[in-house]
Amino acid sequence: SEPSSGAARSLAILCGGESRRLGSDKGLYRPLGDEPLAARAIRLLGGVYQEILLVVRDAAQDGLYREQLLPHLSQEETAKVRIVRDDSTLGTLPLAALTGVATALATSSHEDVVILPVDHVGVRGFHLAKLAANGFFVDDTGDRLPFPSRWRIADRERVEARISAGAL
């Protein structure tokens, strides 16, 4: 069952990578031939969120998602989804996962934002419920894991400062 704790949060799915290793856009990749990874993430995880942000890098990728992803979504899912672009939100910051985090924080309608890369296919609702309860995930050594992650809009300036200092 899906967690009920996501209702006052935005879910941001990072789709803005260049997909050099895969050779095609990761979020639109269809590993089983049926639905794109981004549609799968929305279907499996988006139900409890009032807003789902698909963070893409630029206008070209925005167009691809509107054309190739939106037809795979239900009306309810489509009503929750907003495609947001790194380039229109943040200008000339480098393309990196942390830039996607900053874009999500800059565009979220909710103070609390759960962020997930589109290719984290093993994440399920109970993982995000645990994240909502604990605030972060840790590895076997106790170090915090970068994704999935939970941020507050108030973290935006700190994230942008880290990007400006060279963190990606």
Side-chain angles (χ1 to χ4, degrees):
S1 79
E2 292 185 344
S4 61
S5 57
R9 294 182 175 92
S10 295
L11 174 65
I13 302 172
L14 303 183
C15 302
E18 294 183 18
S19 300
R20 287 186 296 257
R21 291 173 298 213
L22 188 58
S24 66
D25 191 291
K26 253 188 272 192
L28 298 175
Y29 177 63
R30 300 173 191 205
L32 301 176
D34 53 356
E35 67 183 341
L37 286 180
R40 181 179 185 279
I42 292 166
R43 178 176 54 80
L44 291 175
L45 304 171
V48 298
Y49 294 90
Q50 294 173 337
E51 173 181 62
I52 302 168
L53 303 171
L54 292 178
V55 182
V56 300
R57 69 179 170 274
D58 56 24
Q61 194 177 33
D62 183 324
L64 278 175
Y65 276 74
R66 290 183 192 284
E67 177 185 319
Q68 296 181 28
L69 175 70
L70 294 183
H72 288 272
L73 304 180
S74 71
Q75 281 187 314
E76 181 183 337
E77 291 166 340
T78 301
K80 292 185 194 184
V81 169
R82 272 196 306 132
I83 300 174
V84 295
R85 299 182 352 220
D86 286 336
D87 67 347
S88 65
T89 304
L90 301 173
T92 59
L93 291 177
L95 291 177
L98 201 53
T99 304
V101 171
T103 297
L105 296 177
T107 58
S108 175
S109 299
H110 302 284
E111 177 62 30
D112 212 5
V113 185
V114 173
I115 300 179
L116 175 76
V118 71
D119 58 350
H120 282 200
V121 297
V123 174
R124 297 292 184 270
F126 70 88
H127 295 116
L128 298 185
K130 181 179 176 183
L131 178 67
N134 299 328
F136 54 87
F137 285 116
V138 295
D139 64 16
D140 293 339
T141 66
D143 289 334
R144 287 188 181 189
L145 297 174
F147 295 113
S149 58
R150 180 177 165 209
W151 299 79
R152 312 257 319 145
I153 288 177
D155 295 321
R156 179 181 173 193
E157 287 183 25
R158 186 171 53 98
V159 170
E160 289 178 7
R162 288 178 61 193
I163 294 168
S164 294
L168 301 177

